[in-house]
mmCIF file of all heavy atoms in Angstrom:
data_model
loop_
_atom_site.group_PDB
_atom_site.id
_atom_site.type_symbol
_atom_site.label_atom_id
_atom_site.label_comp_id
_atom_site.label_asym_id
_atom_site.label_seq_id
_atom_site.Cartn_x
_atom_site.Cartn_y
_atom_site.Cartn_z
ATOM 1 N N VAL A 277 113.467 45.818 93.441
ATOM 2 C CA VAL A 277 114.614 45.996 94.329
ATOM 3 C C VAL A 277 114.940 47.482 94.368
ATOM 4 O O VAL A 277 114.546 48.247 93.492
ATOM 5 C CB VAL A 277 115.850 45.178 93.869
ATOM 6 C CG1 VAL A 277 115.571 43.697 93.904
ATOM 7 C CG2 VAL A 277 116.319 45.597 92.491
ATOM 8 N N ALA A 278 115.667 47.880 95.388
ATOM 9 C CA ALA A 278 116.054 49.286 95.543
ATOM 10 C C ALA A 278 117.544 49.367 95.846
ATOM 11 O O ALA A 278 118.166 48.387 96.269
ATOM 12 C CB ALA A 278 115.250 49.923 96.676
ATOM 13 N N ASP A 279 118.114 50.533 95.644
ATOM 14 C CA ASP A 279 119.524 50.815 95.957
ATOM 15 C C ASP A 279 120.475 49.815 95.301
ATOM 16 O O ASP A 279 121.465 49.390 95.903
ATOM 17 C CB ASP A 279 119.758 50.825 97.473
ATOM 18 C CG ASP A 279 118.900 51.844 98.184
ATOM 19 O OD1 ASP A 279 118.599 52.894 97.579
ATOM 20 O OD2 ASP A 279 118.503 51.590 99.340
ATOM 21 N N TYR A 280 120.205 49.442 94.067
ATOM 22 C CA TYR A 280 121.011 48.443 93.353
ATOM 23 C C TYR A 280 122.356 49.030 92.971
ATOM 24 O O TYR A 280 122.440 50.077 92.345
ATOM 25 C CB TYR A 280 120.270 47.987 92.098
ATOM 26 C CG TYR A 280 120.916 46.833 91.371
ATOM 27 C CD1 TYR A 280 120.512 45.538 91.605
ATOM 28 C CD2 TYR A 280 121.924 47.047 90.437
ATOM 29 C CE1 TYR A 280 121.084 44.470 90.934
ATOM 30 C CE2 TYR A 280 122.506 45.996 89.765
ATOM 31 C CZ TYR A 280 122.084 44.714 90.017
ATOM 32 O OH TYR A 280 122.665 43.664 89.346
ATOM 33 N N GLN A 281 123.412 48.346 93.371
ATOM 34 C CA GLN A 281 124.780 48.664 92.963
ATOM 35 C C GLN A 281 125.365 47.375 92.429
ATOM 36 O O GLN A 281 125.420 46.386 93.159
ATOM 37 C CB GLN A 281 125.632 49.123 94.137
ATOM 38 C CG GLN A 281 125.181 50.370 94.822
ATOM 39 C CD GLN A 281 126.075 50.618 96.028
ATOM 40 O OE1 GLN A 281 127.301 50.600 95.912
ATOM 41 N NE2 GLN A 281 125.478 50.821 97.174
ATOM 42 N N GLY A 282 125.797 47.368 91.180
ATOM 43 C CA GLY A 282 126.301 46.128 90.625
ATOM 44 C C GLY A 282 127.454 46.335 89.680
ATOM 45 O O GLY A 282 127.746 47.443 89.237
ATOM 46 N N ILE A 283 128.112 45.223 89.376
ATOM 47 C CA ILE A 283 129.154 45.185 88.363
ATOM 48 C C ILE A 283 128.944 43.913 87.552
ATOM 49 O O ILE A 283 128.400 42.919 88.032
ATOM 50 C CB ILE A 283 130.579 45.197 88.963
ATOM 51 C CG1 ILE A 283 130.771 44.054 89.965
ATOM 52 C CG2 ILE A 283 130.900 46.539 89.567
ATOM 53 C CD1 ILE A 283 132.192 43.906 90.474
ATOM 54 N N ASP A 284 129.361 43.954 86.305
ATOM 55 C CA ASP A 284 129.281 42.794 85.430
ATOM 56 C C ASP A 284 130.295 43.006 84.317
ATOM 57 O O ASP A 284 130.857 44.091 84.168
ATOM 58 C CB ASP A 284 127.873 42.628 84.867
ATOM 59 C CG ASP A 284 127.603 41.208 84.366
ATOM 60 O OD1 ASP A 284 128.506 40.353 84.455
ATOM 61 O OD2 ASP A 284 126.495 40.966 83.875
ATOM 62 N N ALA A 285 130.514 41.963 83.525
ATOM 63 C CA ALA A 285 131.431 42.048 82.404
ATOM 64 C C ALA A 285 131.005 41.050 81.337
ATOM 65 O O ALA A 285 130.433 40.003 81.654
ATOM 66 C CB ALA A 285 132.863 41.750 82.851
ATOM 67 N N THR A 286 131.266 41.383 80.105
ATOM 68 C CA THR A 286 130.962 40.461 79.021
ATOM 69 C C THR A 286 132.022 39.384 78.894
ATOM 70 O O THR A 286 131.799 38.381 78.229
ATOM 71 C CB THR A 286 130.846 41.211 77.682
ATOM 72 O OG1 THR A 286 132.064 41.910 77.435
ATOM 73 C CG2 THR A 286 129.681 42.179 77.698
ATOM 74 N N SER A 287 133.155 39.550 79.552
ATOM 75 C CA SER A 287 134.254 38.591 79.419
ATOM 76 C C SER A 287 134.023 37.301 80.208
ATOM 77 O O SER A 287 134.622 36.283 79.900
ATOM 78 C CB SER A 287 135.578 39.227 79.853
ATOM 79 O OG SER A 287 135.516 39.633 81.202
ATOM 80 N N SER A 288 133.153 37.327 81.227
ATOM 81 C CA SER A 288 132.878 36.126 82.011
ATOM 82 C C SER A 288 131.578 36.299 82.785
ATOM 83 O O SER A 288 131.378 37.330 83.417
ATOM 84 C CB SER A 288 134.006 35.855 83.010
ATOM 85 O OG SER A 288 133.641 34.828 83.912
ATOM 86 N N PRO A 289 130.722 35.263 82.787
ATOM 87 C CA PRO A 289 129.505 35.342 83.596
ATOM 88 C C PRO A 289 129.796 35.417 85.095
ATOM 89 O O PRO A 289 128.968 35.892 85.858
ATOM 90 C CB PRO A 289 128.764 34.047 83.269
ATOM 91 C CG PRO A 289 129.329 33.574 81.985
ATOM 92 C CD PRO A 289 130.746 34.062 81.951
ATOM 93 N N LEU A 290 130.964 34.956 85.519
ATOM 94 C CA LEU A 290 131.298 34.937 86.943
ATOM 95 C C LEU A 290 131.618 36.311 87.509
ATOM 96 O O LEU A 290 131.804 36.451 88.711
ATOM 97 C CB LEU A 290 132.477 33.994 87.194
ATOM 98 C CG LEU A 290 132.203 32.520 86.971
ATOM 99 C CD1 LEU A 290 133.473 31.707 87.157
ATOM 100 C CD2 LEU A 290 131.115 32.020 87.899
ATOM 101 N N LYS A 291 131.685 37.327 86.692
ATOM 102 C CA LYS A 291 132.024 38.663 87.181
ATOM 103 C C LYS A 291 130.826 39.423 87.737
ATOM 104 O O LYS A 291 130.967 40.500 88.282
ATOM 105 C CB LYS A 291 132.703 39.464 86.072
ATOM 106 C CG LYS A 291 134.063 38.885 85.731
ATOM 107 C CD LYS A 291 134.810 39.762 84.777
ATOM 108 C CE LYS A 291 136.129 39.142 84.431
ATOM 109 N NZ LYS A 291 137.246 39.710 85.123
ATOM 110 N N LEU A 292 129.628 38.862 87.625
ATOM 111 C CA LEU A 292 128.425 39.527 88.135
ATOM 112 C C LEU A 292 128.446 39.564 89.662
ATOM 113 O O LEU A 292 128.612 38.537 90.324
ATOM 114 C CB LEU A 292 127.169 38.791 87.660
ATOM 115 C CG LEU A 292 125.846 39.289 88.228
ATOM 116 C CD1 LEU A 292 125.526 40.680 87.705
ATOM 117 C CD2 LEU A 292 124.725 38.323 87.884
ATOM 118 N N ARG A 293 128.268 40.752 90.215
ATOM 119 C CA ARG A 293 128.113 40.962 91.652
ATOM 120 C C ARG A 293 127.137 42.118 91.824
ATOM 121 O O ARG A 293 127.146 43.054 91.037
ATOM 122 C CB ARG A 293 129.412 41.378 92.333
ATOM 123 C CG ARG A 293 130.615 40.526 92.083
ATOM 124 C CD ARG A 293 130.635 39.299 92.958
ATOM 125 N NE ARG A 293 131.887 38.580 92.852
ATOM 126 C CZ ARG A 293 132.292 37.896 91.813
ATOM 127 N NH1 ARG A 293 131.554 37.842 90.743
ATOM 128 N NH2 ARG A 293 133.436 37.246 91.807
ATOM 129 N N ALA A 294 126.330 42.073 92.869
ATOM 130 C CA ALA A 294 125.428 43.194 93.128
ATOM 131 C C ALA A 294 125.023 43.212 94.590
ATOM 132 O O ALA A 294 125.007 42.179 95.268
ATOM 133 C CB ALA A 294 124.189 43.111 92.243
ATOM 134 N N CYS A 295 124.668 44.394 95.051
ATOM 135 C CA CYS A 295 124.120 44.622 96.389
ATOM 136 C C CYS A 295 122.859 45.450 96.203
ATOM 137 O O CYS A 295 122.820 46.337 95.347
ATOM 138 C CB CYS A 295 125.114 45.392 97.250
ATOM 139 S SG CYS A 295 126.764 44.673 97.284
ATOM 140 N N PHE A 296 121.831 45.170 96.994
ATOM 141 C CA PHE A 296 120.548 45.846 96.821
ATOM 142 C C PHE A 296 119.690 45.648 98.050
ATOM 143 O O PHE A 296 120.062 44.946 98.977
ATOM 144 C CB PHE A 296 119.825 45.319 95.572
ATOM 145 C CG PHE A 296 119.687 43.815 95.552
ATOM 146 C CD1 PHE A 296 118.610 43.182 96.136
ATOM 147 C CD2 PHE A 296 120.658 43.035 94.938
ATOM 148 C CE1 PHE A 296 118.500 41.798 96.126
ATOM 149 C CE2 PHE A 296 120.554 41.657 94.919
ATOM 150 C CZ PHE A 296 119.475 41.036 95.521
ATOM 151 N N ARG A 297 118.508 46.260 98.036
ATOM 152 C CA ARG A 297 117.492 46.081 99.076
ATOM 153 C C ARG A 297 116.308 45.380 98.424
ATOM 154 O O ARG A 297 115.940 45.690 97.295
ATOM 155 C CB ARG A 297 117.032 47.425 99.632
ATOM 156 C CG ARG A 297 118.121 48.343 100.106
ATOM 157 C CD ARG A 297 118.632 48.168 101.485
ATOM 158 N NE ARG A 297 117.598 47.971 102.459
ATOM 159 C CZ ARG A 297 117.801 47.283 103.582
ATOM 160 N NH1 ARG A 297 118.964 46.744 103.838
ATOM 161 N NH2 ARG A 297 116.835 47.130 104.447
ATOM 162 N N ILE A 298 115.717 44.423 99.142
ATOM 163 C CA ILE A 298 114.594 43.651 98.624
ATOM 164 C C ILE A 298 113.656 43.314 99.777
ATOM 165 O O ILE A 298 114.092 43.218 100.933
ATOM 166 C CB ILE A 298 115.097 42.357 97.931
ATOM 167 C CG1 ILE A 298 113.968 41.623 97.198
ATOM 168 C CG2 ILE A 298 115.802 41.447 98.912
ATOM 169 C CD1 ILE A 298 114.450 40.481 96.318
ATOM 170 N N ASP A 299 112.399 43.115 99.483
ATOM 171 C CA ASP A 299 111.440 42.667 100.481
ATOM 172 C C ASP A 299 111.675 41.172 100.708
ATOM 173 O O ASP A 299 111.508 40.379 99.779
ATOM 174 C CB ASP A 299 110.014 42.911 99.992
ATOM 175 C CG ASP A 299 108.957 42.435 100.986
ATOM 176 O OD1 ASP A 299 109.315 42.048 102.116
ATOM 177 O OD2 ASP A 299 107.767 42.457 100.618
ATOM 178 N N PRO A 300 112.079 40.744 101.906
ATOM 179 C CA PRO A 300 112.359 39.331 102.153
ATOM 180 C C PRO A 300 111.168 38.415 101.870
ATOM 181 O O PRO A 300 111.350 37.238 101.551
ATOM 182 C CB PRO A 300 112.752 39.277 103.627
ATOM 183 C CG PRO A 300 113.163 40.658 103.970
ATOM 184 C CD PRO A 300 112.362 41.564 103.080
ATOM 185 N N ALA A 301 109.964 38.939 101.948
ATOM 186 C CA ALA A 301 108.782 38.123 101.661
ATOM 187 C C ALA A 301 108.733 37.700 100.191
ATOM 188 O O ALA A 301 108.101 36.702 99.849
ATOM 189 C CB ALA A 301 107.522 38.891 102.024
ATOM 190 N N ALA A 302 109.415 38.438 99.314
ATOM 191 C CA ALA A 302 109.407 38.115 97.889
ATOM 192 C C ALA A 302 110.123 36.812 97.578
ATOM 193 O O ALA A 302 109.877 36.199 96.539
ATOM 194 C CB ALA A 302 110.038 39.251 97.094
#
């Protein structure tokens, strides 16, 4: 993946969010 921007937290698995570029064929 490229241009990954994300956030996460150890306090909850639900806090994971990310935006990125990926080859749709993958």
Side-chain angles (χ1 to χ4, degrees):
V277 297
D279 302 329
Y280 187 95
Q281 298 176 50
I283 55 173
D284 200 0
T286 57
S287 60
S288 170
L290 292 176
K291 293 187 182 258
L292 174 68
R293 308 279 188 289
C295 308
F296 53 88
R297 307 275 316 152
I298 188 171
D299 179 8

